[in-house]
Amino acid sequence: MADQIPLYPVRSAAAAAASHRRAAYYSAAGPGPGVDRRGRYQLEDESAHLDEMPLMMSEEGFENDESDYHTLPRARITRRKRGLEWFVCGGWKFLCTSCCDWLINVCQRKKELKARTVWLGCPEKCEEKHPRNSIKNQKYNVFTFIPGVLYEQFKFFLNLYFLVVSCSQFVPALKIGYLYTYWAPLNQRIPSDMVFLRTSEKAGSCFIRTDQLDGETDWKLKVAVSCTQRLPALGDLFSISAYVYAQKPQLDIHSFEGTFTREDSDPPIHESLSIENTLWASTVVASGTVIGVVIYTGKETRSVMNTSNPKNKVGLLDLELNQLTKALFLALVVLSVVMVTLQGFAGPWYRNLFRFLLLFSYIIPISLRVNLDMGKAAYGWMIMKDENIPGTVVRTSTIPEELGRLVYLLTDKTGTLTQNEMVFKRLHLGTVSYGTDTMDEIQSHVLNSYLQHPVLKVHSQPSGHNPSSAPLRRSQSSTPKVKKSVSSRIHEAVKAIALCHNVTPVYEARAGITGETEFAEADQDFSDENRTYQASSPDEVALVRWTESVGLTLVSRDLASMQLKTPSGQVLTYCILQMFPFTSESKRMGIIVRDESTAEITFYMKGADVAMSTIVQYNDWLEEECGNMAREGLRTLVVAKRTLTEEQYQDFESRYSQAKLSIHDRTLKVAAVVESLEREMELLCLTGVEDQLQADVRPTLEMLRNAGIKIWMLTGDKLETATCIAKSSHLVSRTQDIHVFRPVSNRGEAHLELNAFRRKHDCALVISGDSLEVCLRYYEHELVELACQCPAVVCCRCSPTQKAHIVTLLRQHTRKRTCAIGDGGNDVSMIQAADCGIGIEGKEGKQASLAADFSITQFRHIGRLLMVHGRNSYKRSAALGQFVMHRGLIISTMQAVFSSVFYFASVPLYQGFLMVGYATIYTMFPVFSLVLDQDVKPEMAILYPELYKDLTKGRSLSFKTFLIWVLISIYQGGILMYGALLLFEAEFVHVVAISFTALILTELLMVALTIRTWHWLMVVAEFLSLGCYVASLAFLNEYFGIGRVSFGAFLDVAFITTVTFVWKVSAITVVSCLPLYVLKYLKRKLSPPSYSKLSS
């Protein structure tokens, strides 16, 4: 029904025909990827109509009649600001940024990236010049260090303000020490992007580790160019006339197209090059030694192109305080101008104006930044000392409050949510299913099958020269189909699983064997305890280990053959004729093998159910069982086979070889040839593998969802794997639907698929990196808007650059705080792009951990890190910042009242050490003790994560709360000053004595009013400050001028010991504080906070 809804008005017959073609494409299942791709390319010519067809961003649009085309709602409905309004509301920042970008582009013109031809041993023939193969790791250099650091400090108005104030008094001498930079070597790693020419391994292949490139811990098999691998000696590489043609540098780390050509042979040798023939920089050779020809260097390598420059992170709380500081500065200027105006601009009014600015400068207290920075350091120390999250390290001490303001959490999959350890759980044959508790039955069936049908001993002969091979195949193919027994079906399924993979067994070198290679050749020792498996996917290893557990063991493999050992100890040899690796588009992999004992050629294939369902023969159970396994969180694979005749294979091989040599549209042509074999395949079985999750991942994700945090999973893994993990980890709840965004390659397909996605409600989105790239190119705003409405989003096959780009888009479009968490080098860009980056120390090293703002050891620790420490850091900093501003505002109010009463004189109320002591020893300890306050106990914050939602609204520090504190400061400052002026006796020093003592007591009582949960250190701080004040009267009487009755003196010792002084100070203090205590009591009774019921 959805496909029949008229999305847009029909303008012409041609447009109608175009819409029918689009609907036909999206409604047709198609026999394979080749057909789908041809259908998609038909839409290229129709993109001209798309500008007239806006995406519908509301349900009303689908209900409108075609005549209502011009009234359809648009995605961007906000009114654009123009003129001066645009300039004031951020246009000036856009203009400055544009000018800077233009200057940078002029000074650093980027060279256009082109394809290149690299000659072996003849660098003079290479026309393309490579950039220097060096990478800079430092952020600053000698020229940018000073401007950069100054900008980062003085972009905050608070620091700039105090700089101006300080410069008004004196000009400090600046002294800069020596600076140095360094180059970071890539030790023990491949230094540049290369084409793999030769290896010391006899098989002509080697393993590399790519954990710091794509985040996957499994080893990848790389194959040397066969022409250069066959050369007798290493020196022959420089005696032949050969070159490599490579495509231009690009971001995609999963694809490569090129050719290798040797000209001095007759005829010339041409070999196609793909991703399996490349060695990217920052990967590590895990076995043997390799020799390659460099094709990309320096900034053109894949690893460098997928990295981004780190940015200095500023917390949202600091930005909010920066805005409040500007408001305070405006109030300071206005107050000073009013004072000068009331003076009548008499005398040198400009000097008086500046004196008033200095007198009221306490409105913006310099202790604000000091207290906040000390508080941040205290929060970091508390996080690292928390016994419930051991091993946590705070690497950036400036943004702990960000942990309490997060709205989006973007997480990696491998090593973050999962342990990357696969376990085989289920085998389904259609009529019977086997689980972990019935694997012994499979083992007995496999044993019986090889005992009842012994392996024929036939000497290996070249294909086509075995006289018995053709008759045997003909007799088998002509045998009528009969219902196979369960034992034979299990036998076929286990054999298919043991053969259809890219796993290689590796044997550790025995004691006494020396050599440069880390591992010896696989045929040295077949002992089970010495064998390990390596593959590009952990799923493959899990399947091969399972076949070993049931009796069929992979003991050897090279590029041309593999050997299996039966339960009875016999070794079966299979010749590998062709390999079809897994791709994100095909969603399946295949292999063609020849049994050396029977000369039978078999095409095995396994893949995702969505890809295999149209390839296998008709059945009535596959779709249902795949759904059942998926609901259990298992990763499913469908296994099938097809027997080929010699003539069929030879015909296929010729067409396949020709397609692989194509330079243009190679992928399409190869897929079309392989598709010719993928017809009416025999369905063998369905497997279910479980990727074990990290400890407590499910409850942690549930806690984060209940806290109102939207979770996005960004992974480099394939779509099916990512979807299974999203289900098993409960990232997507059982009741939610999943919308898999179909592959798109152009604007037309993206347009249609986005409209299809718009109809869905409350469903999780799964999208691949390629489709994401296309959609962001044409419909960035629409895609982000739709994705943000989803409860969960899964992005698969993402490169490191795409991960960082997604984080940046979320920050720009939503203006919400984002957090990225990962454990590999490929997650560094994402971690650095987020407002808050968290790294996990795991199997992939410490690169992500060292680049992050916070480092944890397990994913489950993020729950307590956000719910407890994030909450406390934000609440405490908000209270601390506002109280410090209150402390400055109240004394500035007293100064304003004092100057107003005494004919607007620009003289200070308190002089000397009093002003210094007021902000330090007299009030510092109680105010700073607010970093120990908490409104909710940690256990309660974890038990009720819904409390976290209030933090993201920013209500603890806002203009509303700021204005409340301003009113409180004005009220208390006025009461203290006017009360002292009304109650003083004869001498002015009595005004100072009464008002300052009442001021100190008021501040101590206000701290007690602000505290929600008392800590014993808070009590100590209160009495310590009060004791310091009393002690200063007794022991520092000469400094304070006690006993001297003169203008500007502090206290009259005879007066402060009288009852009159005590009751006057007490009365003023009670009047200034008691109403606030009453208001707080009434507010808690009439409008209690959300956590008050839980606390009670």
Side-chain angles (χ1 to χ4, degrees), residues 136-149:
K136 294 182 181 180
N137 282 345
Q138 79 272 18
K139 182 178 181 180
Y140 301 107
N141 57 35
V142 176
F143 302 103
T144 62
F145 177 75
I146 295 177
V149 171

Side-chain angles (χ1 to χ4, degrees), residues 1074-1093:
L1074 183 60
L1076 299 179
Y1077 273 85
V1078 174
L1079 289 175
K1080 181 179 179 180
Y1081 175 80
L1082 293 177
K1083 181 181 179 182
R1084 287 192 173 182
K1085 286 293 184 181
L1086 301 177
S1087 178
S1090 58
Y1091 56 83
S1092 59
K1093 296 181 179 180

Side-chain angles (χ1 to χ4, degrees), residues 473 476 495 593-595 598-602 641 643-644:
R473 285 193 298 275
Q476 287 182 348
K495 185 173 72 170
V593 297
R594 176 186 282 116
D595 190 341
T598 63
E600 182 182 36
I601 300 177
T602 308
K641 78 166 187 175
T643 303
L644 303 177

